[in-house]
Amino acid sequence: MELQGKPDFEEALHRTEAWFNHEKLDRPPVRFAMHNASSISIPDYRGRTWPSQKARWFDAEFQVDFFLQSLRNRRFYGETFPVFFPNLGPNVYAAFHGCELEFAEITSWALHLVENWDDLKRIKFHRDNEYFRGIEELTRVALEKCADKFMVGYTDLHGSLDCVADWRDPQRLCLDIMDCPGKVHEMLGIANENFLPVYDHYDEVLKAHGQFSVTWMEIPSRGKMHIPSCDFAAMISPDAFCEFYLPSLLREVAHTTHNIFHIDGSGVLNHLEHILHIPQIQAYQWVQGIGDDFPILQWLPVIKKIQAAGKGVVVDVQLNELEPFIDAMKPDGLFLCIPAEESLQPDILKRIEKW
């Protein structure tokens, strides 16, 4: 693949593939962006208006053209890849089954579908669902316009227990785990039924158009790349995690070739012991959160523990933290995400090469 602004695509992909295989090349992979919520800013739409936030999110032509504008005159250094992933928010898989989404400027959330157990019959996956069709349209338009400019990924898929929490409501689901575990397993069965077929659908569409397997984390794979996660796990005990989530996780990662588990904060970190040695998970993304969770240096024991298990770690590092981070850490298995101005990026890469 050849992309404007990314003449070293094959070299960067090779470095990424080596990282997936726990091999050490010249330096750790580096992406010049962050995944932390504090890095999100509200975009400027230059006077464009829509009748609703939802209409803007569903405007596929605008979304792809807006992304194209963001690529102009850019050079993508390191393992930074230009990726458009069709996005209607993190709860879209739950919405494929009938719940509505409420849209804001930079995210959306689910309006809970299951108020009582009779509402379970309202959960039904269908490809004529407006949210499924919306993702299909975003994907279609992106594939038409990507040419040699950017990669096209698949949407953010949260299945299993996160999906059930979207349908039911996280606080109610906590009580259900104690009071109605059979109903929780019933909802999990519905959530799991279509997850892998939906994943495969997007994988097949993208591969048919010569695309790699990639999504919001923007780390591509020639195989099947998946970001398993369970943000709801922050609210439950290790025993509940093992009963209600772990079987789904094992099923997902057995189906895909490259897996990066998304650890969203210290609550999910409580379950690290149960997932750290799963062979099919090559790496873990540590997202430390905001506020008191900065700086990253306080989380070095977590990162070192994952390294010691022979796994990769995707980690956000602020530019002013980079030198003390390098001094305290070994580079083995790290994939660094660093927010930095483009003019500074070549020198940062040179510094990391000396690590």
Side-chain angles (χ1 to χ4, degrees), residues 144-163:
E144 286 180 355
K145 298 190 176 190
C146 64
D148 60 349
K149 299 177 180 66
F150 60 90
M151 303 167 69
V152 181
Y154 62 91
T155 195
D156 189 6
L157 292 172
H158 290 254
S160 186
L161 207 52
D162 275 352
C163 178

Side-chain angles (χ1 to χ4, degrees), residues 55-197:
R56 175 177 63 81
W57 283 73
F58 273 76
D59 188 341
E61 291 286 341
F62 169 77
Q63 297 292 356
V64 177
D65 288 344
F66 187 79
F67 179 75
L68 273 169
Q69 291 175 12
S70 74
L71 304 182
R72 289 180 180 175
N73 302 316
R74 283 190 62 187
R75 170 69 185 266
F76 294 89
Y77 289 98
E79 286 59 59
T80 313
F81 299 92
V83 177
F84 177 88
F85 84 98
N87 181 33
L88 294 175
N91 307 131
V92 72
Y93 180 73
F96 289 168
H97 294 75
C99 74
E100 293 292 330
L101 298 180
E102 184 76 20
F103 290 88
E105 187 70 43
I106 59 175
T107 192
S108 66
W109 58 90
L111 302 179
H112 308 304
L113 183 67
V114 181
E115 296 291 328
N116 57 67
W117 298 127
D118 288 340
D119 290 334
L120 288 178
K121 61 180 178 292
R122 299 173 59 193
I123 303 174
K124 186 176 182 181
F125 173 81
H126 205 290
R127 295 193 179 206
D128 284 338
N129 174 286
E130 67 169 326
Y131 297 101
F132 190 87
R133 287 188 284 107
I135 294 295
E136 293 285 275
E137 180 67 3
L138 284 162
T139 304
R140 182 190 67 79
V141 173
L143 288 170
E144 286 180 355
K145 298 190 176 190
C146 64
D148 60 349
K149 299 177 180 66
F150 60 90
M151 303 167 69
V152 181
Y154 62 91
T155 195
D156 189 6
L157 292 172
H158 290 254
S160 186
L161 207 52
D162 275 352
C163 178
V164 172
D166 293 336
W167 292 336
R168 179 65 172 147
D169 174 79
Q171 291 185 349
R172 284 181 173 176
L173 184 57
C174 287
L175 297 175
D176 295 338
I177 284 174
M178 295 186 294
D179 300 334
C180 309
K183 292 296 184 183
V184 177
H185 282 295
E186 183 178 350
M187 288 188 288
L188 279 169
I190 300 171
N192 289 336
E193 180 180 359
N194 292 292
F195 187 83
L196 296 181

Side-chain angles (χ1 to χ4, degrees), residues 217-254:
M217 203 178 290
E218 302 181 8
I219 299 178
S221 163
R222 298 181 200 266
K224 290 184 174 183
M225 207 287 295
H226 177 40
I227 305 174
S229 63
C230 186
D231 295 353
F232 176 76
M235 304 178 70
I236 58 177
S237 70
D239 286 346
F241 179 89
C242 291
E243 177 180 352
F244 294 98
Y245 176 63
L246 195 55
S248 301
L249 172 62
L250 294 174
R251 179 172 176 263
E252 290 176 19
V253 300

